[in-house]
Amino acid sequence: MNHRPFVMWPDAALRTPAKPVAEITDAVRAIWDEMINAMEAMPGVGLAAVQLGIPMALAIVDASEARGQVVRMANPEVLHASVEPRTHEEGSPNLPGVSAKIVRPRAVTVRFLNADGIIQEQDFVGLWATSVQHQIDHLAGRMYFDRLSRVKRDMLLKKARKAAR
């Protein structure tokens, strides 16, 4: 199955908060399936629906070694975050060719509507936690580089513009 193209930075869709999902339907499940295809094609460890131009609060993460452990989430929100930080090199298919070291909490507890339409709370640690926080940022209209200092962010965006030429 194919997937729609990634929305490219600086498209306004990437700065627009996603709309909450009222219920899990077959249409929502089909979007998750499309998102999984897009994530695997990158390859990546997570994806938010807004990255494909779908303005819904849907995200997926799969930071497993073997793959195939995808967690499907609607309306994800962080309930608790560890004080212990974790630094990871983050990037996005929406701004190809660049990445940056981002510091986030090492572990988070997230509440979301799961694939069965049930509210679930789940703990994520390490790369799983980094990915889920990255996706939640996308759903709020934020990019990973928004977590950088102004100077580092400006340098990264300048480098991305140069790479795009």
Side-chain angles (χ1 to χ4, degrees):
M1 178 181 165
N2 289 333
H3 63 84
R4 59 196 91 191
F6 290 103
V7 173
M8 301 312 285
W9 175 260
D11 193 294
L14 296 170
R15 288 297 193 196
T16 306
K19 293 182 177 29
V21 174
E23 66 177 321
I24 305 306
T25 63
D26 286 343
V28 166
R29 290 184 187 94
I31 292 169
W32 273 326
D33 290 343
E34 180 181 352
M35 291 168 63
I36 291 167
N37 290 332
M39 177 185 70
E40 294 299 343
M42 284 190 276
V45 294
L47 195 70
V50 296
Q51 292 180 268
L52 296 177
I54 304 165
M56 298 170 70
L58 298 172
I60 56 168
V61 292
D62 186 351
S64 63
E65 292 287 323
R67 308 304 284 179
Q69 306 293 315
V70 177
V71 178
R72 293 164 174 83
M73 296 175 276
N75 312 324
E77 62 177 315
V78 174
L79 298 178
H80 306 287
S82 68
V83 292
E84 185 182 342
R86 177 180 189 275
T87 302
H88 186 76
E89 190 79 19
E90 294 186 33
S92 175
N94 307 99
L95 187 68
V98 294
S99 62
K101 289 187 185 309
I102 305 296
V103 179
R104 297 182 185 270
R106 186 188 75 80
V108 290
T109 301
V110 178
R111 179 174 42 218
F112 57 93
L113 203 55
N114 68 21
D116 295 320
I118 298 167
I119 294 175
Q120 178 177 334
E121 289 182 16
Q122 186 167 335
D123 295 328
F124 295 93
V125 180
L127 184 55
W128 285 89
T130 297
S131 181
V132 76
Q133 292 171 83
H134 181 110
Q135 307 324 317
I136 290 171
D137 275 357
H138 271 303
L139 296 177
R142 291 191 300 263
M143 297 284 288
Y144 71 92
F145 54 76
D146 292 329
R147 295 185 173 274
L148 297 171
S149 69
R150 179 181 209 83
V151 170
K152 286 184 178 179
R153 182 176 56 244
D154 289 349
M155 285 174 35
L156 181 120
L157 292 173
K158 183 179 178 182
K159 184 178 173 184
R161 281 191 294 275
K162 219 179 236 183
R165 284 187 206 139

